Amino acid sequence: MAVSAATGSGPARKRVVIVGGGFGGVNAVTALGKLPVDVTLVDRRNYHLFQPLLYQVALAVLSPADIAQPIRSLVRDHPNVDVLMDEAVGFDLVQRRVFLKTGVQLEYDYLILATGSTHSYFGRDDWAKLAPGLKTVEDATEIRRRVLLAFELAERQMMEKGTHPALNFVIIGGGPTGVELAGAISDIAQLYMTRDFRHIDPSMAQVLILEGGPHILTAYPEDLQQKALQQLAELKVKVRTGAHVSDVQPGYVMVGEERIDAVVTLWAAGVQASPLGKMLGVETDKRGAVFVDGHLNPPGHPEIFICGDLAHFEQDGKQVPGVAQPAMQMGRYAAQRIGRLVAADLGSDGSGRDEQFRYFDKGDMATIGRKAAVANIEWPFKAHWSGFPAWMTWLVVHIFFLIGFRNRLSVFRQWAWTYLTFSDGARLITGSQELPGWNSQEDLVGVTAKPLDMNSPKT
Amino acid sequence: MAVSAATGSGPARKRVVIVGGGFGGVNAVTALGKLPVDVTLVDRRNYHLFQPLLYQVALAVLSPADIAQPIRSLVRDHPNVDVLMDEAVGFDLVQRRVFLKTGVQLEYDYLILATGSTHSYFGRDDWAKLAPGLKTVEDATEIRRRVLLAFELAERQMMEKGTHPALNFVIIGGGPTGVELAGAISDIAQLYMTRDFRHIDPSMAQVLILEGGPHILTAYPEDLQQKALQQLAELKVKVRTGAHVSDVQPGYVMVGEERIDAVVTLWAAGVQASPLGKMLGVETDKRGAVFVDGHLNPPGHPEIFICGDLAHFEQDGKQVPGVAQPAMQMGRYAAQRIGRLVAADLGSDGSGRDEQFRYFDKGDMATIGRKAAVANIEWPFKAHWSGFPAWMTWLVVHIFFLIGFRNRLSVFRQWAWTYLTFSDGARLITGSQELPGWNSQEDLVGVTAKPLDMNSPKT
């Protein structure tokens, strides 16, 4: 009797479908690759993106390829994993199927949903073109294009007319992304652009953060918020809190009745969860994130796991934030949990089935320019660091904890080289050579100087 | 009397306008930066592109930033050089003015025109979207997108339907670009993609070169043409000569009455000179290149120099080819010649005014995949090399002779690392996820296999 099980094909292997190749999905899939299950990972992209460094692509420090990793190469050693470049568009939770855009239906025994979040323009989607956010490689190269192009257009206009619109860069939102973008733009203007332009003074560029709430970096303790404000001030970044943006137009933004000119406007204000959460038909919060229990399951669905930004998970009365660490831990937890469930089903192990997910918070960090950061450290000791020590910590953590893939070394080597030397290579303007609102700004008060007499010799 | 010259401002400095930041323009500007003239370089892009390595961006070996260098950083140490991101749209040769797209007019005493060439679709510009060529960074990322996407779509269709269109990559044109693209696509399919796909067999991909003339690599001696054919055959690249493409459609090309299916079609067949040559109102050849004399001047215009692809320059009865070396030498010659003319005008030196340009041909090389090349060496000795020795030569030459800029070492270091390890980083599909003609191919005869039962366990 026992023999038949050994010679037969045994019970059918469980099928796991993972939707999303971000931190949640990729950590789940590499853990599931070692388990006796069949896995299909679906993503619209062919690569996993190391999002914490995306702002460095936007500001021309890194190339997209430095922080992206083809998903197929991550699962190359796991023959039980399929990768499908496709998009989930619906679910049948009764039949346990995922519907894909191309018409494929995937059946699952377990589903891991980790499709993250997108920008929220609070119902004003027409602002998206005027104030791009930073979620994708395309977003990053678009921001890079706009920021670099502003200096080029100003130089050209200065040579032609002896005046150019003030180089105001307005960042809407004072969270970590807004602060990191602001610091990096200021660095570019103050340190690097000044070497390259003859007629404009790039150091006159103004970077302004508009934050609707009373504080920037609301997730950080108050002393670090203060430190961040100081460090931003040292980089000549201005911060206005309580500034509710009422309109975004080509060339300017409105804060209440006040008009603020902007050659480039960037969006770092709001995110909403991927629409797939709502498609499940389970309860979501106002951002569209799915309420999950201690097993990361939506109520009544022990076979579905929600990971990362898409999950609304509360711990000690606080919602776990939508950053990389929780997503990674959730992905690993979901994989381990599926492993335990499968093993229990197979009768070999029933232990630990009720161990619940607990976010192990090591802390949060945000860089402010090239030499400073704020770090709210929770582990291995509690500390609030700022300035250069925090920046060094950020560097080490991003190398050793976050770039946790097979080519960690090669990615880091490229990255460190580019970043430490601030080589010029990535400072490319690709695509269109237009900036929204640039021409309409010609009659605005701007920076003026003696027009260059194109016919007179320079000295 | 002699004092007045010393205390006065002296004669006005001569103004040089350079249009184009390719090999010709950049070599001219760095030489002119050391001379007592005022220079304005105009380019539509903010970067100089190291075009001989562009095919490696197209095939995901390198990132755009690895082979591009911001023009401003190249002239950072030359305060007499202005850079203007703009586009020349016309000339007044009598008043000596260049008209720019934005309305700026630049007066010149000397004009260097080095705007290169673009694709020629022989009057069929509608083919451009179906068969992209390889001239710009945008071209390269588009080719990368299409080639990588073809494998992803095939995998998806195989999983869904158990069949996919044959992975035929058709390259129209058997010159160096066509041969290099073909070898690189074959390498990707044979060596790298096979590790990453589970359901399709990427090594079944077919790469086909369609050459209208009787030979590929017509600029090379016959023995090297033969070697190239052998090396292409070893990479399973098929070559058809005398194949006149009569139509390009989504999913296929027509050679006479014969239909050849193609998931991706690339254009490497024809180039035409930049339209600026014709705008000069001087005599041009049928490609639009300007006939120039021994001083690189169009007849009757000793103040205008044409460099690179835009020049039709004959030496020993043969036209100098439109590749990097002649463009670089022409740019340097034009700068030296201007230096001599200016010096003579100032009365300090009249020597050497009639020294004519002579192309110093060191030879030509084209790579064929990752380990082979053909090299027609002219200097420092004459030799015909092929295979690995030619490939090593190509490597050394591209490092030491061509990447001649300030960050040669840093660019090379990044490049060598990426290239030698063939890291996965650059293999990104950005932009649209559609391929022209893919859907219409579903009913074509293609590669078939047992459809994947999405519901059955894998073993």
Side-chain angles (χ1 to χ4, degrees):
Chain A
M1 277 159 295
V3 177
S4 68
T7 53
S9 63
R13 280 157 66 106
K14 297 294 186 187
R15 297 151 302 179
V16 183
V17 171
I18 304 173
V19 185
F23 284 112
V26 155
N27 277 273
V29 81
T30 46
L32 286 167
K34 297 165 196 149
L35 298 178
V37 292
D38 289 315
V39 186
T40 304
L41 187 147
V42 180
D43 197 288
R44 288 180 294 183
R45 309 286 181 169
N46 75 326
Y47 52 86
H48 166 72
L49 188 63
F50 192 77
Q51 222 154 7
L53 291 175
L54 191 56
Y55 81 95
Q56 298 209 348
V57 174
L59 280 314
V61 178
L62 298 180
S63 282
D66 296 334
I67 60 160
Q69 176 78 0
I71 293 171
R72 292 190 186 280
S73 75
L74 291 172
V75 298
R76 194 175 280 155
D77 299 333
H78 302 305
N80 62 328
V81 176
D82 266 327
V83 177
L84 203 52
M85 188 173 162
D86 208 328
E87 193 174 341
V89 292
F91 304 93
D92 179 339
L93 301 194
V94 178
Q95 301 276 338
R96 297 192 177 174
R97 285 166 184 264
V98 181
F99 303 111
L100 304 185
K101 195 175 181 182
T102 46
V104 174
Q105 296 185 14
L106 295 176
E107 291 204 358
Y108 62 82
D109 297 298
Y110 298 102
L111 172 65
I112 298 179
L113 211 53
T115 46
S117 55
T118 60
H119 313 297
S120 166
Y121 287 90
F122 308 128
R124 292 298 302 266
D125 291 346
D126 54 316
W127 294 356
K129 287 204 164 178
L130 301 170
L134 184 64
K135 278 283 176 192
T136 67
V137 165
E138 287 84 354
D139 289 342
T141 49
E142 175 62 18
I143 291 176
R144 180 178 78 182
R145 186 185 78 78
R146 291 190 188 203
V147 171
L148 297 178
L149 190 57
F151 291 96
E152 293 288 342
L153 294 184
E155 176 88 348
R156 189 164 84 189
Q157 198 156 318
M158 191 61 136
M159 288 173 73
E160 186 185 355
K161 301 183 179 170
T163 175
H164 68 85
L167 286 168
N168 292 345
F169 297 87
V170 172
I171 294 157
I172 303 172
T177 301
V179 167
E180 291 188 328
L181 281 172
I185 292 176
S186 175
D187 266 347
I188 282 192
Q190 307 294 330
L191 298 179
Y192 301 98
M193 288 297 172
T194 43
R195 299 185 300 178
D196 285 347
F197 288 86
R198 301 278 146 77
H199 301 282
I200 62 169
D201 180 358
S203 72
M204 298 288 284
Q206 280 287 342
V207 183
L208 172 64
I209 294 175
L210 296 176
E211 165 59 42
H215 302 289
I216 61 166
L217 298 176
T218 45
Y220 287 71
E222 202 185 316
D223 60 322
L224 289 182
Q225 291 174 1
Q226 290 303 322
K227 288 282 185 189
L229 281 175
Q230 283 170 26
Q231 291 168 16
L232 286 168
E234 282 165 24
L235 293 175
K236 298 191 192 172
V237 174
K238 294 191 175 170
V239 176
R240 281 177 60 175
T241 51
H244 292 278
V245 172
S246 55
D247 201 7
V248 179
Q249 288 292 331
Y252 65 92
V253 302
M254 298 296 292
V255 173
E257 294 301 304
E258 184 190 354
R259 175 185 166 132
I260 298 173
D261 291 333
V263 289
V264 175
T265 307
L266 303 178
W267 188 260
V271 292
Q272 59 193 350
S274 147
L276 286 177
K278 286 190 175 159
M279 286 182 204
L280 280 178
V282 298
E283 199 189 354
T284 58
D285 67 12
K286 62 180 198 275
R287 285 191 313 110
V290 176
F291 287 105
V292 293
D293 62 21
H295 294 131
L296 303 181
N297 303 135
H301 287 284
E303 79 285 7
I304 299 179
F305 297 83
I306 315 287
C307 297
D309 291 17
L310 188 58
H312 184 119
F313 177 78
E314 296 197 1
Q315 177 170 301
D316 308 332
K318 266 178 63 183
Q319 188 183 342
V320 166
V323 294
Q325 282 291 337
M328 297 167 80
Q329 294 176 25
M330 287 175 176
R332 285 195 293 266
Y333 172 86
Q336 284 160 9
R337 172 99 185 141
I338 289 169
R340 284 194 204 103
L341 291 170
V342 168
D345 282 352
L346 295 173
S348 69
D349 182 5
S351 67
R353 288 190 62 171
D354 279 327
E355 192 183 313
Q356 302 213 344
F357 174 72
R358 190 156 177 88
Y359 172 45
F360 177 42
D361 185 2
K362 297 174 189 159
D364 274 319
M365 282 177 285
T367 60
I368 299 164
R370 269 174 72 74
K371 290 180 305 198
V374 286
N376 180 24
I377 299 165
E378 300 278 354
W379 180 89
F381 48 82
K382 282 183 187 289
H384 296 177
W385 286 356
S386 61
F388 190 70
W391 186 81
M392 283 304 299
T393 311
W394 175 87
L395 205 69
V396 171
V397 165
H398 281 72
I399 297 159
F400 289 101
F401 289 88
L402 290 180
I403 308 182
F405 305 128
R406 50 164 58 222
N407 66 346
R408 177 194 295 179
L409 257 178
S410 87
V411 166
F412 169 65
R413 189 167 156 162
Q414 263 189 61
W415 171 63
W417 176 262
T418 319
Y419 187 64
L420 296 177
T421 63
F422 214 104
S423 77
D424 296 302
R427 222 174 287 154
L428 312 183
I429 299 173
T430 50
S432 154
Q433 284 154 33
E434 308 283 330
L435 267 188
W438 181 269
N439 287 331
S440 65
Q441 291 212 332
E442 292 197 4
D443 48 359
L444 299 181
V445 177
V447 177
T448 57
K450 188 174 162 291
L452 174 73
D453 182 351
M454 291 284 189
N455 302 331
S456 76
K458 279 159 280 179
T459 46
Chain B
M1 280 157 293
V3 177
S4 68
T7 53
S9 63
R13 279 159 65 108
K14 297 293 183 186
R15 297 150 303 179
V16 183
V17 172
I18 304 173
V19 184
F23 284 112
V26 155
N27 277 273
V29 81
T30 46
L32 286 167
K34 296 164 197 150
L35 298 178
V37 291
D38 289 313
V39 185
T40 304
L41 186 147
V42 180
D43 197 289
R44 288 180 295 184
R45 309 285 181 169
N46 75 326
Y47 52 86
H48 167 71
L49 188 63
F50 193 75
Q51 222 154 6
L53 291 174
L54 191 56
Y55 81 96
Q56 299 209 349
V57 174
L59 280 314
V61 178
L62 298 179
S63 282
D66 295 334
I67 61 161
Q69 175 79 0
I71 292 171
R72 292 190 187 282
S73 75
L74 290 172
V75 299
R76 195 174 280 157
D77 299 333
H78 302 304
N80 62 328
V81 176
D82 265 326
V83 177
L84 204 51
M85 189 174 162
D86 208 328
E87 193 174 341
V89 293
F91 305 93
D92 179 339
L93 300 194
V94 178
Q95 302 275 338
R96 297 192 178 176
R97 286 166 182 263
V98 181
F99 303 111
L100 304 184
K101 194 175 181 181
T102 45
V104 174
Q105 297 184 15
L106 296 175
E107 291 203 1
Y108 62 83
D109 296 299
Y110 299 100
L111 172 66
I112 298 178
L113 212 53
T115 46
S117 54
T118 59
H119 312 298
S120 167
Y121 287 90
F122 308 128
R124 292 299 302 266
D125 291 346
D126 54 316
W127 294 355
K129 287 206 165 175
L130 301 170
L134 183 64
K135 278 283 178 193
T136 66
V137 165
E138 287 85 354
D139 288 341
T141 49
E142 175 62 16
I143 292 176
R144 180 178 79 182
R145 186 185 79 78
R146 293 190 187 203
V147 171
L148 298 177
L149 190 57
F151 291 97
E152 292 288 343
L153 294 183
E155 176 89 346
R156 190 164 82 189
Q157 197 155 319
M158 191 61 136
M159 287 172 73
E160 186 184 355
K161 301 184 178 169
T163 174
H164 68 84
L167 286 168
N168 292 344
F169 297 86
V170 172
I171 293 156
I172 303 173
T177 301
V179 166
E180 290 187 329
L181 281 172
I185 293 176
S186 176
D187 266 346
I188 282 191
Q190 306 294 329
L191 299 179
Y192 301 98
M193 288 296 173
T194 44
R195 299 186 298 178
D196 284 347
F197 288 86
R198 302 277 147 77
H199 301 284
I200 63 169
D201 179 0
S203 72
M204 299 286 285
Q206 281 287 342
V207 184
L208 173 64
I209 294 175
L210 296 176
E211 165 60 41
H215 303 290
I216 61 166
L217 297 176
T218 45
Y220 288 72
E222 202 186 316
D223 59 321
L224 289 181
Q225 291 173 1
Q226 290 303 321
K227 289 282 186 190
L229 281 175
Q230 284 170 25
Q231 291 168 15
L232 286 168
E234 283 166 23
L235 293 175
K236 298 192 193 172
V237 174
K238 293 191 174 168
V239 176
R240 282 176 59 174
T241 52
H244 292 278
V245 171
S246 55
D247 201 7
V248 179
Q249 289 292 331
Y252 65 94
V253 301
M254 299 296 292
V255 174
E257 294 301 304
E258 184 191 353
R259 175 185 164 132
I260 298 174
D261 292 333
V263 289
V264 175
T265 307
L266 303 179
W267 188 261
V271 293
Q272 60 193 349
S274 147
L276 286 177
K278 285 188 176 158
M279 286 181 205
L280 281 178
V282 298
E283 200 190 353
T284 57
D285 67 11
K286 63 179 199 274
R287 287 191 311 109
V290 176
F291 287 104
V292 295
D293 62 21
H295 294 132
L296 303 181
N297 303 135
H301 287 284
E303 79 284 9
I304 300 179
F305 297 84
I306 315 286
C307 298
D309 291 17
L310 188 58
H312 184 120
F313 177 76
E314 295 196 2
Q315 177 169 302
D316 309 331
K318 266 178 62 181
Q319 190 184 341
V320 166
V323 293
Q325 281 292 338
M328 296 166 80
Q329 294 176 22
M330 287 175 176
R332 285 194 293 266
Y333 172 87
Q336 284 159 9
R337 173 100 186 139
I338 289 169
R340 285 195 204 102
L341 291 170
V342 168
D345 281 352
L346 295 173
S348 69
D349 182 5
S351 68
R353 287 190 63 170
D354 279 327
E355 192 182 313
Q356 302 213 345
F357 175 71
R358 192 157 176 85
Y359 172 43
F360 177 41
D361 186 3
K362 296 172 189 158
D364 274 320
M365 284 178 284
T367 60
I368 299 165
R370 268 174 73 73
K371 289 180 307 198
V374 287
N376 180 24
I377 300 166
E378 301 279 353
W379 181 88
F381 47 83
K382 282 185 187 289
H384 296 176
W385 286 356
S386 61
F388 190 71
W391 186 82
M392 282 304 299
T393 310
W394 175 87
L395 205 70
V396 170
V397 165
H398 280 72
I399 297 160
F400 289 102
F401 288 88
L402 289 180
I403 309 182
F405 304 130
R406 50 164 58 223
N407 65 346
R408 177 194 295 178
L409 256 178
S410 88
V411 165
F412 170 64
R413 189 166 155 162
Q414 262 190 62
W415 172 63
W417 176 260
T418 319
Y419 187 63
L420 296 177
T421 63
F422 215 104
S423 77
D424 295 303
R427 222 173 288 152
L428 312 183
I429 299 173
T430 49
S432 154
Q433 284 154 34
E434 309 281 330
L435 267 188
W438 179 268
N439 288 331
S440 64
Q441 291 212 331
E442 291 197 5
D443 48 0
L444 298 182
V445 177
V447 177
T448 57
K450 188 174 161 294
L452 175 74
D453 183 352
M454 291 284 190
N455 301 331
S456 77
K458 278 157 284 179
T459 46

